[in-house]
Amino acid sequence: MPLPPPPQQPEYARSVFRNNLDGETAYQRHQRYVRSAQLYGEQIGDSSTAKKTDFDVLKKAHRFLRPDDEDTSNLSYEDSVALKYYRNLFKEFAICDLKHYKSGNLGLRWRTDEEVVSGAGQFTCGNSRCAYHDPEGLKAHDMPPLITLELPFGYAELGEAKSAVVKVVLCSRCKKKLTWKRDKDKAGASKAEDLAENQTQRQRVARTGNGKHPGEDTRPSGQKSKVRTRDEEPDHRSSKRHRNRSRE
């Protein structure tokens, strides 16, 4: 049975289409509406809410660590999205970013399922900026020796200072970057201690007199102390014999 023909448009509708739409097709109207939304869309309503994506929500509500017994009955939409993403992460090994290693700051995140399947961060270097991080194109004999470390990671979240012990796998070059700030501070502290000790020694020597070391002769340079040798010592026995002969 054929479909009935569409109803005829009234004269008023046909006049609106002719006068206001200028005979545009559906695609032409779509393009015009899009241009209008791009030009005037921010002036209508709250643009920040209209443009917020799930990624924006996740960045705002994500937590590095969440309690296992977290109450999910009264969670907001943002927390629900963040919790769902958090439960899909693998929290055995972490991926780090050592871009600002000279300042002692680093970024850490958990691995995704794709990284777990490929072995990134466990069988490759965990530094995301390292040449040995991406397992694609790397062969087993090209991989340098890797070191597994447990880091005491301190971070600020929601205005609170938190800490956690995180396990990372790094190559020897990235390990040096990780400890670069601490090693430099230790070297600077050791150098400062040596300088302070030298300064104390100089002050102690100066207090003993004229810059001489303890036990050193402090007489003026023109007056030298005469040291008698064994040959120059007076012979008391010969002097006594000479006095006896004079008496005789």
Side-chain angles (χ1 to χ4, degrees), residues 233-241 243:
E233 291 181 356
D235 191 353
H236 299 286
R237 291 176 296 176
S238 61
S239 300
K240 186 176 181 180
R241 288 195 298 267
R243 286 197 299 271

Side-chain angles (χ1 to χ4, degrees), residues 14-204:
R14 290 196 295 269
S15 64
V16 169
F17 181 79
R18 287 193 303 268
N19 298 332
N20 297 337
L21 302 181
D22 296 330
E24 294 177 336
T25 62
Y27 180 69
Q28 291 174 342
R29 290 197 303 273
H30 168 73
Q31 289 182 321
R32 182 162 60 85
Y33 293 154
V34 170
R35 287 194 298 268
S36 299
Q38 292 176 347
L39 292 175
Y40 310 109
E42 295 183 358
Q43 301 178 5
I44 304 174
D46 187 3
S47 60
S48 60
T49 304
K51 294 183 178 180
K52 185 178 294 186
T53 62
D54 289 344
F55 183 69
D56 298 329
V57 172
L58 183 61
K59 288 193 299 182
K60 182 179 179 181
H62 178 66
R63 304 290 178 265
F64 185 71
L65 288 175
R66 287 180 175 270
D68 297 333
D69 55 349
E70 184 175 1
D71 186 13
T72 59
S73 58
N74 297 323
L75 290 180
S76 61
Y77 170 74
E78 291 81 1
D79 291 333
S80 300
V81 173
L83 181 61
K84 182 178 180 180
Y85 175 78
Y86 177 81
R87 289 178 174 175
N88 291 330
L89 298 175
F90 295 84
K91 294 171 280 294
E92 182 181 2
F93 295 96
I95 303 296
C96 64
D97 188 347
L98 300 176
K99 179 180 179 180
H100 302 286
Y101 70 94
K102 290 187 176 181
S103 62
N105 297 323
L106 72 154
L108 289 176
R109 65 171 177 84
W110 301 116
R111 296 189 301 164
T112 60
D113 53 351
E114 292 85 358
E115 292 171 332
V116 172
V117 172
S118 64
Q122 182 178 3
F123 303 106
T124 64
C125 181
N127 180 17
S128 59
R129 297 177 179 270
C130 181
Y132 300 103
H133 173 70
D134 192 359
E136 294 185 4
L138 290 177
K139 297 181 181 179
H141 63 273
D142 295 335
M143 187 65 61
L146 301 177
I147 306 170
T148 303
L149 302 172
E150 290 187 353
L151 306 179
F153 179 55
Y155 61 100
E157 193 174 77
L158 297 178
E160 299 180 3
K162 299 182 179 181
S163 61
V165 178
V166 183
K167 187 184 297 184
V168 296
V169 177
L170 297 175
C171 62
S172 58
R173 183 170 179 268
C174 293
K175 179 182 178 295
K176 292 180 180 179
K177 288 184 177 181
L178 180 66
T179 59
W180 185 88
K181 176 65 174 176
R182 184 178 61 182
D183 296 340
K184 185 178 180 182
D185 293 342
K186 286 185 178 180
S190 178
K191 184 177 181 181
E193 290 178 0
D194 294 340
L195 292 176
E197 184 178 355
N198 294 336
Q199 181 68 19
T200 304
Q201 182 68 20
R202 287 195 296 266
Q203 293 176 357
R204 187 183 301 112

